[in-house]
Amino acid sequence: MLVGIGLSACSPRQLVVGSLADELASPALGNETDLILLRDAAPFHLKLSETVLRQQPGHRALAEAVAAGFTQYAYAFLAFDADRIEATDAAAAERLRRRAAGLYARAHRHAMTALETSQPGLAAALAGSTPGSPLRIEPAQVGLAYWAAASWGGWISLSKDEPDVVADLPLAIRLAEAAWRVDPAWGQGALSGLMGSFEAARPGGSPALALRYFDQAIRDSGGAGAAALVAKAEGYALPGGDRPMFETLLRQALAIREAAGSPLAVQNEVMRQRAAWLLSKADDLF
């Protein structure tokens, strides 16, 4: 009888939306290596996922996928494009960066909403406005916390003329640190790499500590991820003026060839393209 009551409480529409949410939360585009095809397909996939998420606000996996999707799209197809055209069309580069900042902010809101839904009071604890409430991230929340912090960092990096946004950098770092304490190896080095980038970027940051994070990210990737190598090149070798290290790291990133079907396929292809571009700009950067 109780089973029957439980089933009757779920309308066919709810069941369909729930099933669609599960499907959209899976990495359907994750193994696609044709970046032009991926770029064209991603907006529809993201908008559909976002619409379903509004109907299923408690679906943690879908919220994580949406936050990840908007963050990755902003980085790979907007912010990176802006870097590449800056020298020839500064106005177009600025427009792309404004779009990227908006998508980073969108990703951040989705991730933070999901975190707050799963753990009411988390946002207040993060801001330090709840006395005696330390920031705690549960193991199941680490992915959401990563994308919330990563998108926040991207948003901040493109908002130099918005002091209120830039002022949140310590909060983004605190959120990443809370996740890192729970699962430092999360994402095959992605979380450690983010910690390194934050340490390198924050005022008064320690290059030595950033280096430890970057090296841990490289170890955690098991030699399969190009992102950790590029992050170390940009976050440590470049500001340190070490051109030989910079070029060595980027060539190592270019040499990575992942196994067929690897979940790192798209990320690696984006980072190989960035590594090649950075190498081409080395004379200007040093």
Side-chain angles (χ1 to χ4, degrees):
M1 181 65 178
L2 290 176
V3 173
I5 292 172
L7 289 175
S8 66
C10 294
S11 70
R13 181 177 182 278
Q14 287 174 313
L15 291 171
V16 169
V17 172
S19 178
L20 183 56
D22 292 340
E23 183 64 26
L24 290 170
S26 65
L29 302 177
N31 295 330
E32 178 57 62
T33 55
D34 184 327
L35 294 188
I36 296 175
L37 178 60
L38 183 61
R39 181 177 194 149
D40 291 343
F44 173 79
H45 185 82
L46 285 170
K47 279 300 300 176
L48 177 60
S49 298
E50 190 177 47
T51 299
V52 174
L53 181 60
R54 291 194 182 101
Q55 302 299 315
Q56 297 275 309
H59 199 294
R60 180 194 56 77
L62 181 57
E64 184 175 328
V66 168
F70 277 114
T71 301
Q72 292 167 326
Y73 189 90
Y75 177 84
F77 302 131
L78 298 176
F80 184 22
D81 277 4
D83 289 342
R84 286 189 281 202
I85 69 171
E86 175 73 38
T88 57
D89 194 340
E94 179 57 26
R95 288 193 295 271
L96 285 170
R97 290 192 178 108
R98 283 198 296 269
R99 277 198 67 206
L103 293 188
Y104 281 138
R106 197 162 168 174
H108 174 68
R109 286 192 292 269
H110 283 304
M112 288 302 299
T113 296
L115 285 170
E116 183 68 19
T117 299
S118 65
Q119 188 182 140
L122 183 144
L126 174 61
S129 60
T130 305
S133 297
L135 181 63
R136 285 191 291 267
I137 297 295
E138 300 299 325
Q141 297 174 317
V142 170
L144 269 174
Y146 169 82
W147 290 113
S151 58
W152 212 348
W155 182 17
I156 289 167
S157 72
L158 298 180
S159 304
K160 302 302 185 185
D161 57 346
E162 297 183 53
D164 290 347
V165 176
V166 175
D168 284 340
L169 178 59
L171 299 183
I173 294 173
R174 187 179 181 215
L175 181 59
E177 287 174 338
W180 190 82
R181 285 194 296 271
V182 176
D183 188 359
W186 184 89
Q188 291 182 264
L191 185 48
S192 291
L194 179 62
M195 291 293 293
S197 295
F198 274 146
E199 186 63 27
R202 74 176 182 87
S206 165
L209 179 56
L211 178 61
R212 289 199 292 274
Y213 282 131
F214 287 134
D215 284 343
Q216 179 170 343
I218 292 170
R219 289 193 299 272
D220 290 342
S221 75
L229 296 162
V230 175
K232 182 177 177 180
E234 291 194 86
Y236 182 78
L238 179 57
D242 192 333
R243 182 167 180 170
M245 178 189 288
F246 179 81
E247 294 185 349
T248 296
L249 288 165
L250 295 177
R251 290 194 179 96
Q252 289 174 348
L254 285 170
I256 285 180
R257 291 293 178 268
E258 63 281 341
S262 168
L264 293 176
V266 172
Q267 181 190 101
N268 279 347
E269 181 58 24
V270 170
M271 300 316 293
R272 281 192 291 263
Q273 290 190 12
R274 186 164 185 85
W277 176 76
L278 286 167
L279 277 171
S280 75
K281 301 288 291 181
D283 287 342
D284 298 325
L285 295 171
F286 288 90

